[in-house]
PDB file of all heavy atoms in Angstrom:
ATOM      1  N   THR W 285    -188.423-136.882  53.823  1.00  0.00           N
ATOM      2  CA  THR W 285    -189.803-137.227  54.198  1.00  0.00           C
ATOM      3  C   THR W 285    -190.090-136.880  55.662  1.00  0.00           C
ATOM      4  O   THR W 285    -191.227-136.993  56.111  1.00  0.00           O
ATOM      5  CB  THR W 285    -190.107-138.731  53.969  1.00  0.00           C
ATOM      6  OG1 THR W 285    -189.362-139.502  54.909  1.00  0.00           O
ATOM      7  CG2 THR W 285    -189.775-139.165  52.559  1.00  0.00           C
ATOM      8  N   VAL W 286    -189.054-136.485  56.407  1.00  0.00           N
ATOM      9  CA  VAL W 286    -189.209-136.146  57.832  1.00  0.00           C
ATOM     10  C   VAL W 286    -189.156-134.614  57.981  1.00  0.00           C
ATOM     11  O   VAL W 286    -188.093-134.009  57.800  1.00  0.00           O
ATOM     12  CB  VAL W 286    -188.090-136.809  58.672  1.00  0.00           C
ATOM     13  CG1 VAL W 286    -188.195-136.420  60.134  1.00  0.00           C
ATOM     14  CG2 VAL W 286    -188.127-138.322  58.499  1.00  0.00           C
ATOM     15  N   PRO W 287    -190.279-133.981  58.303  1.00  0.00           N
ATOM     16  CA  PRO W 287    -190.316-132.520  58.363  1.00  0.00           C
ATOM     17  C   PRO W 287    -189.245-131.920  59.280  1.00  0.00           C
ATOM     18  O   PRO W 287    -188.646-130.884  58.943  1.00  0.00           O
ATOM     19  CB  PRO W 287    -191.720-132.209  58.879  1.00  0.00           C
ATOM     20  CG  PRO W 287    -192.525-133.415  58.585  1.00  0.00           C
ATOM     21  CD  PRO W 287    -191.605-134.584  58.585  1.00  0.00           C
ATOM     22  N   GLU W 288    -188.987-132.580  60.418  1.00  0.00           N
ATOM     23  CA  GLU W 288    -188.001-132.037  61.367  1.00  0.00           C
ATOM     24  C   GLU W 288    -186.599-132.035  60.741  1.00  0.00           C
ATOM     25  O   GLU W 288    -185.813-131.121  60.987  1.00  0.00           O
ATOM     26  CB  GLU W 288    -187.981-132.852  62.668  1.00  0.00           C
ATOM     27  CG  GLU W 288    -189.280-132.806  63.474  1.00  0.00           C
ATOM     28  CD  GLU W 288    -190.402-133.670  62.900  1.00  0.00           C
ATOM     29  OE1 GLU W 288    -190.114-134.571  62.073  1.00  0.00           O
ATOM     30  OE2 GLU W 288    -191.574-133.426  63.247  1.00  0.00           O
ATOM     31  N   ASP W 289    -186.286-133.052  59.964  1.00  0.00           N
ATOM     32  CA  ASP W 289    -184.975-133.102  59.295  1.00  0.00           C
ATOM     33  C   ASP W 289    -184.859-131.945  58.291  1.00  0.00           C
ATOM     34  O   ASP W 289    -183.814-131.299  58.175  1.00  0.00           O
ATOM     35  CB  ASP W 289    -184.787-134.428  58.541  1.00  0.00           C
ATOM     36  CG  ASP W 289    -184.573-135.616  59.478  1.00  0.00           C
ATOM     37  OD1 ASP W 289    -184.609-135.407  60.712  1.00  0.00           O
ATOM     38  OD2 ASP W 289    -184.370-136.735  58.973  1.00  0.00           O
ATOM     39  N   CYS W 290    -185.953-131.699  57.586  1.00  0.00           N
ATOM     40  CA  CYS W 290    -185.944-130.621  56.584  1.00  0.00           C
ATOM     41  C   CYS W 290    -185.765-129.270  57.275  1.00  0.00           C
ATOM     42  O   CYS W 290    -185.022-128.405  56.798  1.00  0.00           O
ATOM     43  CB  CYS W 290    -187.240-130.638  55.775  1.00  0.00           C
ATOM     44  SG  CYS W 290    -187.443-132.165  54.864  1.00  0.00           S
ATOM     45  N   GLN W 291    -186.434-129.102  58.406  1.00  0.00           N
ATOM     46  CA  GLN W 291    -186.302-127.845  59.144  1.00  0.00           C
ATOM     47  C   GLN W 291    -184.867-127.654  59.629  1.00  0.00           C
ATOM     48  O   GLN W 291    -184.312-126.550  59.544  1.00  0.00           O
ATOM     49  CB  GLN W 291    -187.273-127.830  60.338  1.00  0.00           C
ATOM     50  CG  GLN W 291    -187.395-126.482  61.014  1.00  0.00           C
ATOM     51  CD  GLN W 291    -187.905-125.400  60.062  1.00  0.00           C
ATOM     52  OE1 GLN W 291    -188.970-125.541  59.492  1.00  0.00           O
ATOM     53  NE2 GLN W 291    -187.128-124.337  59.869  1.00  0.00           N
ATOM     54  N   ARG W 292    -184.257-128.749  60.089  1.00  0.00           N
ATOM     55  CA  ARG W 292    -182.870-128.694  60.564  1.00  0.00           C
ATOM     56  C   ARG W 292    -181.940-128.270  59.421  1.00  0.00           C
ATOM     57  O   ARG W 292    -181.044-127.448  59.598  1.00  0.00           O
ATOM     58  CB  ARG W 292    -182.485-130.090  61.081  1.00  0.00           C
ATOM     59  CG  ARG W 292    -181.415-130.127  62.131  1.00  0.00           C
ATOM     60  CD  ARG W 292    -181.426-131.442  62.923  1.00  0.00           C
ATOM     61  NE  ARG W 292    -181.810-132.625  62.191  1.00  0.00           N
ATOM     62  CZ  ARG W 292    -181.007-133.341  61.398  1.00  0.00           C
ATOM     63  NH1 ARG W 292    -179.765-132.981  61.228  1.00  0.00           N
ATOM     64  NH2 ARG W 292    -181.456-134.426  60.780  1.00  0.00           N
ATOM     65  N   ALA W 293    -182.155-128.810  58.249  1.00  0.00           N
ATOM     66  CA  ALA W 293    -181.306-128.476  57.102  1.00  0.00           C
ATOM     67  C   ALA W 293    -181.495-127.017  56.695  1.00  0.00           C
ATOM     68  O   ALA W 293    -180.529-126.302  56.425  1.00  0.00           O
ATOM     69  CB  ALA W 293    -181.630-129.402  55.932  1.00  0.00           C
ATOM     70  N   VAL W 294    -182.754-126.575  56.683  1.00  0.00           N
ATOM     71  CA  VAL W 294    -183.034-125.177  56.321  1.00  0.00           C
ATOM     72  C   VAL W 294    -182.411-124.237  57.356  1.00  0.00           C
ATOM     73  O   VAL W 294    -181.788-123.228  57.004  1.00  0.00           O
ATOM     74  CB  VAL W 294    -184.567-124.944  56.211  1.00  0.00           C
ATOM     75  CG1 VAL W 294    -184.909-123.462  56.194  1.00  0.00           C
ATOM     76  CG2 VAL W 294    -185.115-125.640  54.968  1.00  0.00           C
ATOM     77  N   ASP W 295    -182.544-124.587  58.637  1.00  0.00           N
ATOM     78  CA  ASP W 295    -181.964-123.746  59.701  1.00  0.00           C
ATOM     79  C   ASP W 295    -180.455-123.671  59.550  1.00  0.00           C
ATOM     80  O   ASP W 295    -179.852-122.606  59.719  1.00  0.00           O
ATOM     81  CB  ASP W 295    -182.316-124.303  61.090  1.00  0.00           C
ATOM     82  CG  ASP W 295    -183.799-124.126  61.417  1.00  0.00           C
ATOM     83  OD1 ASP W 295    -184.479-123.366  60.706  1.00  0.00           O
ATOM     84  OD2 ASP W 295    -184.263-124.774  62.374  1.00  0.00           O
ATOM     85  N   ASP W 296    -179.834-124.803  59.218  1.00  0.00           N
ATOM     86  CA  ASP W 296    -178.384-124.822  59.040  1.00  0.00           C
ATOM     87  C   ASP W 296    -177.981-123.911  57.878  1.00  0.00           C
ATOM     88  O   ASP W 296    -177.057-123.114  57.999  1.00  0.00           O
ATOM     89  CB  ASP W 296    -177.917-126.259  58.767  1.00  0.00           C
ATOM     90  CG  ASP W 296    -176.410-126.334  58.651  1.00  0.00           C
ATOM     91  OD1 ASP W 296    -175.875-126.061  57.555  1.00  0.00           O
ATOM     92  OD2 ASP W 296    -175.760-126.638  59.667  1.00  0.00           O
ATOM     93  N   ALA W 297    -178.693-124.039  56.765  1.00  0.00           N
ATOM     94  CA  ALA W 297    -178.369-123.225  55.589  1.00  0.00           C
ATOM     95  C   ALA W 297    -178.571-121.745  55.904  1.00  0.00           C
ATOM     96  O   ALA W 297    -177.739-120.898  55.555  1.00  0.00           O
ATOM     97  CB  ALA W 297    -179.237-123.648  54.407  1.00  0.00           C
ATOM     98  N   ALA W 298    -179.671-121.423  56.599  1.00  0.00           N
ATOM     99  CA  ALA W 298    -179.986-120.023  56.892  1.00  0.00           C
ATOM    100  C   ALA W 298    -179.019-119.430  57.908  1.00  0.00           C
ATOM    101  O   ALA W 298    -178.817-118.211  57.947  1.00  0.00           O
ATOM    102  CB  ALA W 298    -181.426-119.912  57.390  1.00  0.00           C
TER     103      ALA W 298
END
Side-chain angles (χ1 to χ4, degrees):
T285 69
V286 177
E288 296 76 18
D289 288 2
C290 298
Q291 191 60 57
R292 207 160 34 81
V294 165
D295 290 346
D296 183 277

